[in-house]
Amino acid sequence: MRNFIIGIDLDDVLVDFVSEFTKICNRLFGKPELGTLPIDWDWSNFHLTQAKKDAAWKEVANTENFWAKLPIEYGADPEIVERLSEDHELVFITARVPSRGWSTEHQSKHWVHCNMGVIFPTVI
């Protein structure tokens, strides 16, 4: 029997999404500087027009299995997540846009399994 249900956000908690999105913007438009973190949900300090931000998101959507290939967030500890999964039901939470390839849910489950050691992860 599982003790608790624990919800864990994926992006920028376990998964390093921001640095990959920053790389896309930098490669396409020369800004922002690599390592820049957004200061708000509109990425306003990236100094990109809405059309350019939309183009960057389109790049995400057109990348085969984008969500399955992201790096682990700095400081995220796969051993802790794996140990938590032994006694608790973990639910991984995300609001990702679809990308080419597997479904977003399948990409997310694949990432959690391969990077955090959870055998049958639940992703919503």
Side-chain angles (χ1 to χ4, degrees), residues 1-3 10 18-20 38 55 57 64 66-67 77 80 83 87-89 91 93 95 102-103 117 122:
M1 182 163 115
R2 303 289 180 144
N3 295 325
L10 285 177
V18 166
S19 69
E20 293 302 307
W57 281 107
E64 184 91 11
F66 175 83
W67 303 107
D77 189 336
I80 291 174
R83 282 198 318 263
D87 295 322
H88 308 288
E89 181 179 346
V91 178
I93 303 163
W102 301 327
S103 71
T122 299

Side-chain angles (χ1 to χ4, degrees), residues 51-70:
K52 288 182 177 181
K53 287 184 275 188
D54 291 346
W57 281 107
K58 188 173 182 178
E59 182 80 8
V60 169
N62 287 329
T63 301
E64 184 91 11
N65 297 321
F66 175 83
W67 303 107
K69 300 185 259 185
L70 294 173

Side-chain angles (χ1 to χ4, degrees), residues 11-12 17-18 20-22 24-25 28-29 38 40-43 46 48-63 66-67 70 95-100:
D11 294 316
D12 302 305
F17 165 72
V18 166
E20 293 302 307
F21 191 73
T22 302
I24 289 169
C25 293
L28 294 176
F29 310 113
D40 54 34
W41 291 110
D42 196 37
W43 308 76
F46 280 34
L48 298 172
T49 65
Q50 188 59 51
K52 288 182 177 181
K53 287 184 275 188
D54 291 346
W57 281 107
K58 188 173 182 178
E59 182 80 8
V60 169
N62 287 329
T63 301
F66 175 83
W67 303 107
L70 294 173
R96 294 172 162 180
V97 299
S99 72
R100 290 184 47 224

Side-chain angles (χ1 to χ4, degrees), residues 66-120:
F66 175 83
W67 303 107
K69 300 185 259 185
L70 294 173
I72 295 174
E73 177 69 24
Y74 176 78
D77 189 336
E79 290 180 21
I80 291 174
V81 174
E82 189 173 2
R83 282 198 318 263
L84 279 172
S85 74
E86 293 170 2
D87 295 322
H88 308 288
E89 181 179 346
L90 304 183
V91 178
F92 299 93
I93 303 163
T94 191
R96 294 172 162 180
V97 299
S99 72
R100 290 184 47 224
W102 301 327
S103 71
T104 304
E105 180 184 12
H106 184 83
Q107 289 181 53
S108 301
K109 286 181 176 186
H110 177 80
W111 189 94
V112 171
H113 173 73
C114 292
N115 292 280
M116 294 291 135
V118 178
I119 304 301
F120 296 110

